[in-house]
């Protein structure tokens, strides 16, 4: 049986002002898509140049990943900043781990 991985991820722009939260089953491919759309008005993330991975969580089941994504999207910016800092205190761009 094939194991599926699902990711909830947070990307930001170079200045770290905007945050985008998403869910995917292929983080590498999704980051590439964000990079290619950066600077375009085709998507919210593209418009705000969000393409730098700063946080992610892995899930076995898609319903759990979607529930977590929805939860994080309801959080305040302060709480999202705290969450990112718990695993990535320097807010390093983690793209090299997946691209």
């Amino acid at each position: 049986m094939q194991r599926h991985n699902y990711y909830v991820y947070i990307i930001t722009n170079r200045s770290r002002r905007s945050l985008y939260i998403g869910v995917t089953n292929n983080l590498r491919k999704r980051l590439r898509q964000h990079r290619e759309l950066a600077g375009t008005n085709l998507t919210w993330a593209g418009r705000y140049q969000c393409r730098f991975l700063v946080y992610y969580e892995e899930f076995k089941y898609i319903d759990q990943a979607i529930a977590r994504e929805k939860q994080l999207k309801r959080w305040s910016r302060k709480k999202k900043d705290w969450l990112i800092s718990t695993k990535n205190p320097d807010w390093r761009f983690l793209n090299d781990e997946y691209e």
Side-chain angles (χ1 to χ4, degrees):
M1 177 181 265
Q2 182 181 4
R3 179 169 183 228
H4 295 281
N5 295 316
Y6 300 95
Y7 300 89
V8 172
Y9 63 95
I10 302 175
I11 56 175
T12 190
N13 52 10
R14 190 168 299 282
S15 65
R16 297 169 175 85
R17 286 190 189 152
S18 299
L19 297 178
Y20 174 87
I21 299 171
V23 65
T24 185
N25 67 341
N26 188 331
L27 191 54
R28 176 171 290 148
K29 180 179 177 183
R30 191 67 181 115
L31 290 172
R32 187 172 50 249
Q33 291 170 338
H34 283 298
R35 185 180 70 237
E36 291 168 358
L37 292 171
T40 71
N41 284 329
L42 299 174
T43 65
W44 187 94
R47 185 175 316 118
Y48 291 95
Q49 303 272 340
C50 292
R51 64 182 187 269
F52 301 105
L53 180 68
V54 290
Y55 181 86
Y56 64 92
E57 296 177 12
E58 188 173 348
F59 296 86
K60 184 176 178 181
Y61 301 106
I62 187 62
D63 56 331
Q64 293 172 335
I66 291 170
R68 180 63 165 163
E69 176 197 29
K70 288 178 181 181
Q71 177 188 39
L72 295 181
K73 285 183 173 186
R74 287 190 304 266
W75 284 11
S76 68
R77 172 61 192 250
K78 183 177 180 180
K79 196 168 180 179
K80 291 172 194 173
D81 289 352
W82 167 83
L83 178 67
I84 294 165
S85 295
T86 62
K87 287 192 176 179
N88 186 1
D90 298 325
W91 283 57
R92 291 182 308 105
F93 298 150
L94 307 172
N95 297 57
D96 289 343
E97 296 177 22
Y98 283 94
E99 288 190 68

